[in-house]
């Protein structure tokens, strides 16, 4: 099993240092693919990281209050809430993305409703085939990956600490920022990782709701693969992984540091 | 004293409203699909003017779609059985044996959760090509096994960690062999988790698109078929009808799987109380 996983990755790493030469692969080691991908795809890399960053921010910001609600306010039906929050994640991803297309389209549910009520005269055009649509759809798709880790860390927070904070005169808001939030940070950090990493590699959503210039890095990988330039595709994929790891690492460090300074 | 109490009350109204608004956001797309599957129109326009069940009747007139469905069922079955078996072995190794490099092994098995799928797909494709295995439904299933094993392992480890190890020790002390102990003591205890793992991994595989996209041979799975039909909106309503049926079925499966995972879980964790 372990070999089954490691071997493909190692061979792909090797491939990324080779070069496609017509129908053959030239096996002399070269960094050509990396140089090429870094110059040619730089805007797309930056764009992908930016969009994934926005998605992560939106997902975690929306997920935190709901995780907080279930952990601290729901008393009896926690189990049902958790199931309710995870069910959408298990249903067909393609169909969910398609549903967002129906909702956001020019003649879709949102525009149809707003026009029917008379709030707008002209349909809103930026709803679909826009970065907004990508962020919304992905924030919806990965919600469970953010809610669950945050919920678990909030559930672990020792309630007596909150009582202590209240006894010592902290108000609700202050005790949240000084006790609950720092303690829930491990959950927030795993939520960030679990959302940021896969969204960078997402192919379906940018393609379906992102419009003509919506393509992200996965599309470049796939295009190169389709154009039979596997070494370049491999190099692009590896670069994206490296960038993701890099950005995620710094993001997490930054959050840790900023919280420490608050304390 | 009344002041802070009142404050808490106000705050919980706000957050409760948010919670329900969020649920609506989560479920909006899942309500839209069934709604439009009953719409008597080929353009997805809202509000819907006329309703009918004709798209459901058309499901059977799409042999390609049914074939893709059948393929997906086969792939899902192979993937979920293999992933659960591997997950079971991994869970047993992790919870029962002191093994050198345990953390590393655990990390590697969980790796597919942390690698962008596009990278995994490409890596698998390259190695299949190097080894010379032709692409088919089975290569898709193999990819799905990798993706599903971490899920299976997570479900099973939780269960195996949860029950009393002295039960197994007692059985061994009383002279049962290791295998019989597993079969007669361990397995019945973890059976709910095994079923839950089978269901969840089946759903993951059944819905998986990107790996299948890379690893497909001549045969399509259902997500690949749906992807192809997305380009032709006028062909799409029957897909929506079938999708609605699958939606209902998978919701039922998930609720059942989760219920199994929780039911009788030992320990005093209040959050899992049924």
């Amino acid at each position: 099993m372990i070999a089954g996983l490691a071997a493909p990755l190692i061979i792909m790493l090797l491939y990324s240092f080779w070069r496609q030469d017509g129908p053959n692969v030239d096996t002399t080691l070269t960094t050509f693919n990396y140089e090429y991908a870094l110059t040619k795809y730089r805007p797309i890399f930056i764009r992908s990281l930016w969009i994934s960053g926005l998605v992560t921010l939106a997902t975690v910001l929306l997920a935190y209050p709901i995780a907080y609600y279930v952990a601290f306010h729901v008393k009896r039906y926690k189990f049902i809430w958790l199931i309710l929050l995870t069910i959408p994640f298990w249903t067909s991803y393609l169909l969910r993305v398609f549903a967002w297309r129906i909702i956001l389209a020019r003649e879709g549910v949102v525009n149809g409703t707003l026009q029917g009520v008379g709030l707008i005269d002209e349909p809103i055009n930026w709803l679909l085939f826009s970065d907004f649509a990508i962020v919304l759809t992905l924030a919806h798709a990965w919600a469970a990956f953010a809610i669950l880790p945050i919920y678990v860390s909030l559930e672990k927070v020792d309630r007596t600490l909150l009582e202590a904070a209240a006894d010592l005169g902290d108000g609700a808001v202050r005790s949240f920022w000084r006790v609950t939030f720092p303690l829930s940070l491990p959950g927030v950090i795993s939520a960030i990782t679990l959302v940021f990493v896969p969204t960078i590699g997402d192919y379906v959503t940018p393609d379906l709701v992102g419009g003509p210039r919506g393509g992200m890095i996965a599309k470049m990988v796939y295009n190169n693969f389709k154009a039979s330039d596997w070494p370049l595709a491999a190099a692009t994929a590896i670069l994206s992984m490296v960038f993701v790891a890099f950005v995620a690492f710094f993001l997490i460090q930054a959050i840790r540091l900023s919280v420490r300074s608050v304390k | 004293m009344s002041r802070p109490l009142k404050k808490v009350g106000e705050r919980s109204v706000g957050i409760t409203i948010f919670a329900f608004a969020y649920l609506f956001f989560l479920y909006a797309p899942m309500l839209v699909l069934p709604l439009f599957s009953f719409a008597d129109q080929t353009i997805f326009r809202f509000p819907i003017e006329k309703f009918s069940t004709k798209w459901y009747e058309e499901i059977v007139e799409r042999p390609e779609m049914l074939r893709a469905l059948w393929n997906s069922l086969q792939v899902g079955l192979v993937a979920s059985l293999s992933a659960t078996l591997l997950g079971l072995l991994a869970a047993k190794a992790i919870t029962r044996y002191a093994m050198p490099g345990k953390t590393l092994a655990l990390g590697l098995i969980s790796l597919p959760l942390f690698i962008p799928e596009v990278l995994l797909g490409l890596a698998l494709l390259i190695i299949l090509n190097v080894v010379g295995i032709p692409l088919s439904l089975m290569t898709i299933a193999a990819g799905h096994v990798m993706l599903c094993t971490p899920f299976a392992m997570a479900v099973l480890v939780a269960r195996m960690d949860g029950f009393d190890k002295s039960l197994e020790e007692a059985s061994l002390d009383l002279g049962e062999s290791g295998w019989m102990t597993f079969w007669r003591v361990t397995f019945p205890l973890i059976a709910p988790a095994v079923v839950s793992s089978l269901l969840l991994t089946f759903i993951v595989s059944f819905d998986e698109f990107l790996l299948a996209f890379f690893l497909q041979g001549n045969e399509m799975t259902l997500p690949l078929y749906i992807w192809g039909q997305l380009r032709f909106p006028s062909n799409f309503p029957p897909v929506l009808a079938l999708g609605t049926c699958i939606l209902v079925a998978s919701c039922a499966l998930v609720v059942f799987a989760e219920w199994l995972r929780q039911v009788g879980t030992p320990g005093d964790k209040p959050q899992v109380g049924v």
Side-chain angles (χ1 to χ4, degrees):
Chain A
M1 182 71 205
I2 291 164
L5 246 175
L9 294 179
I10 290 165
I11 291 198
M12 181 159 89
L13 195 65
L14 209 58
Y15 245 84
S16 71
F17 287 104
W18 293 345
R19 263 197 80 175
Q20 190 75 35
D21 186 15
N24 305 313
V25 175
D26 177 4
T27 55
T28 18
L29 296 180
T30 164
T31 55
F32 172 84
N33 296 314
Y34 286 96
E35 285 160 28
Y36 183 85
L38 274 179
T39 43
K40 184 118 187 275
Y41 299 146
R42 186 182 295 157
I44 298 169
F45 273 120
I46 294 172
R47 191 188 133 74
S48 301
L49 289 169
W50 167 243
I51 297 273
S52 280
L54 281 181
V55 170
T56 312
L57 188 73
T59 314
V60 173
L61 280 182
L62 287 172
Y64 199 95
I66 193 85
Y68 186 88
Y69 176 75
V70 179
F72 286 98
H73 290 273
V74 176
K75 296 280 180 278
R76 285 187 56 200
Y77 298 110
K78 280 190 188 198
F79 173 62
I80 294 184
W81 269 92
L82 288 179
I83 289 195
L84 274 178
L85 292 171
T86 36
I87 283 179
F89 164 72
W90 296 107
T91 59
S92 169
Y93 182 47
L94 279 175
L95 289 176
R96 271 186 287 151
V97 177
F98 186 76
W100 280 113
R101 258 168 84 141
I102 300 179
I103 295 174
L104 300 174
R106 225 184 117 80
E107 295 186 316
V109 177
V110 171
N111 277 326
T113 312
L114 289 179
Q115 277 177 308
V117 178
L119 276 175
I120 50 168
D121 299 323
E122 288 290 306
I124 306 169
N125 277 323
W126 52 262
L127 286 179
L128 188 58
F129 303 128
S130 61
D131 290 353
F132 168 77
I134 301 182
V135 172
L136 185 75
T137 308
L138 286 175
H140 178 265
W142 296 98
F145 277 63
I147 296 171
L148 291 179
I150 297 175
Y151 165 77
V152 169
S153 64
L154 282 172
E155 191 64 46
K156 276 193 204 147
V157 171
D158 189 347
R159 305 303 144 110
T160 55
L161 289 176
L162 295 175
E163 283 166 26
D167 286 349
L168 294 170
D170 257 1
V173 176
R174 269 171 74 93
S175 83
F176 172 77
W177 284 113
R178 301 204 325 177
V179 181
T180 318
F181 184 69
L183 285 173
S184 69
L185 220 56
V188 174
I189 287 173
S190 35
I192 288 175
T193 335
L194 283 171
V195 176
F196 190 66
V197 174
T199 48
I200 276 272
D202 191 64
Y203 179 84
V204 173
T205 299
D207 204 55
L208 285 181
V209 303
R213 295 193 305 119
M216 279 162 61
I217 205 64
K219 194 163 176 87
M220 294 302 120
V221 177
Y222 189 75
N223 287 351
N224 284 323
F225 154 72
K226 269 284 157 198
S228 295
D229 195 341
W230 290 17
L232 184 58
T236 315
I238 288 172
L239 273 178
S240 69
M241 183 75 198
V242 171
F243 282 139
V244 169
F246 221 62
V247 172
F249 178 77
F250 278 107
L251 212 66
I252 288 163
Q253 288 301 323
I255 294 173
R256 285 222 173 104
L257 281 179
S258 64
V259 165
R260 212 162 285 161
S261 66
V262 168
K263 280 187 199 166
Chain B
M1 262 323 272
S2 66
R3 243 179 152 192
L5 271 178
K6 198 177 163 197
K7 224 175 175 182
V8 169
E10 278 163 12
R11 281 160 58 80
S12 76
V13 170
I15 202 166
T16 307
I17 292 171
F18 175 85
F20 282 94
Y22 191 86
L23 270 192
F24 179 72
F25 162 68
L26 275 187
Y27 281 85
M30 296 174 63
L31 298 175
V32 163
L33 291 177
L35 192 67
F36 277 82
S37 72
F38 287 109
D40 192 0
Q41 55 196 31
T42 48
I43 306 166
F44 295 101
R45 182 187 288 151
F46 191 82
I48 297 163
E49 273 139 26
K50 199 162 157 261
F51 291 91
S52 86
T53 54
K54 73 173 179 194
W55 305 124
Y56 286 85
E57 286 151 29
E58 257 191 43
I59 290 178
V60 287
E61 290 161 29
R62 297 282 187 101
E64 264 183 77
M65 182 161 79
L66 294 175
R67 192 175 168 81
L69 173 67
W70 173 236
N71 287 340
S72 272
L73 290 173
Q74 284 175 294
V75 169
L77 207 64
V78 172
S80 60
L81 283 171
S82 319
T84 302
L85 189 68
L86 286 170
L88 198 62
L89 295 174
K92 188 154 168 56
I94 286 162
T95 53
R96 295 295 181 267
Y97 302 113
M99 194 171 59
K102 194 153 108 174
T103 328
L104 182 71
L106 193 63
L108 270 173
I109 296 174
S110 317
L111 203 59
L113 285 182
F114 298 95
I115 315 182
E117 256 183 72
V118 65
L119 193 112
L120 197 63
L122 188 65
L124 289 175
L125 185 67
I126 289 177
I127 196 149
L128 287 172
N129 193 264
V130 168
V131 181
I133 299 171
L135 297 176
S136 66
L137 283 180
M138 281 307 109
T139 52
I140 298 180
H144 286 180
V145 172
M146 287 202 160
L147 197 67
C148 291
T149 305
F151 286 97
M153 194 179 70
V155 172
L156 292 165
V157 164
R159 184 75 184 190
M160 289 185 84
D161 256 346
F163 76 81
D164 196 349
K165 273 177 211 164
S166 55
L167 289 172
E168 284 177 336
E169 286 160 16
S171 157
L172 289 169
D173 283 350
L174 292 170
E176 285 277 39
S177 66
W179 170 243
M180 284 309 280
T181 296
F182 177 79
W183 191 238
R184 293 182 46 179
V185 179
T186 316
F187 192 76
L189 279 167
I190 59 170
V194 171
V195 177
S196 152
S197 155
L198 283 174
L199 293 175
L200 293 182
T201 49
F202 180 83
I203 294 169
V204 170
S205 161
F206 191 76
D207 180 37
E208 202 288 327
F209 169 72
L210 204 51
L211 276 185
F213 200 37
F214 273 97
L215 301 174
Q216 63 178 314
N218 296 323
E219 289 285 325
M220 275 192 276
T221 59
L222 194 59
L224 292 171
Y225 176 84
I226 295 176
W227 174 258
Q229 296 302 309
L230 280 171
R231 309 279 159 201
F232 315 101
S234 55
N235 274 347
F236 207 69
V239 179
L240 225 49
L242 180 68
T244 304
C245 299
I246 293 170
L247 198 75
V248 173
S250 54
C251 285
L253 275 185
V254 171
V255 172
F256 183 59
E258 285 291 313
W259 177 76
L260 269 179
R261 200 160 67 83
Q262 309 284 354
V263 89
T265 305
D268 53 350
K269 295 171 195 153
Q271 72 267 31
V272 292
V274 183

